[in-house]
Amino acid sequence: RWIKGYSRKLGAGDALHAEMWRMYLGLDLARQQGIRQLHVESDFKVLIDMVTKKNKFNGNIPTLMHRIRQLLKLN
């Protein structure tokens, strides 16, 4: 069931960063709306592996990925 949509100009960047922003903004919007149960899908396997910690980072976790994981922990 359609609840809400959003759009935002992200500027220059690659596809992975666009997908990370899409996931973060969607999760944040759901949290703001009080939605407790949410099914999130993506066909971007690298992003899914990053979120589920199947992909190891060389160095620091990107800030946006850290924020996505924090939002997921809230639910």
Side-chain angles (χ1 to χ4, degrees):
R1 164 173 83 103
W2 180 264
I3 297 172
K4 196 163 193 119
Y6 63 93
S7 67
R8 174 181 251 175
K9 183 176 180 178
L10 297 176
D14 60 18
L16 177 59
H17 284 91
E19 289 288 325
M20 286 190 337
W21 271 108
R22 182 176 7 194
M23 183 174 285
Y24 171 73
L25 293 170
L27 290 169
D28 191 49
L29 178 64
R31 182 191 57 81
Q32 289 175 25
Q33 297 292 312
I35 297 170
R36 292 268 190 230
Q37 294 183 346
L38 183 67
H39 181 89
V40 178
E41 293 183 0
S42 174
D43 59 356
F44 210 102
K45 183 171 178 359
V46 173
L47 176 61
I48 298 302
D49 288 347
M50 290 168 72
V51 170
T52 59
K53 300 180 183 180
K54 291 180 183 175
N55 186 353
K56 303 292 182 199
F57 289 97
N58 294 330
N60 294 332
I61 297 173
T63 301
L64 195 51
M65 181 53 55
H66 182 69
R67 289 181 181 174
I68 289 170
R69 288 178 178 177
Q70 284 180 322
L71 285 172
L72 289 171
K73 285 180 185 178
L74 294 175
N75 295 326

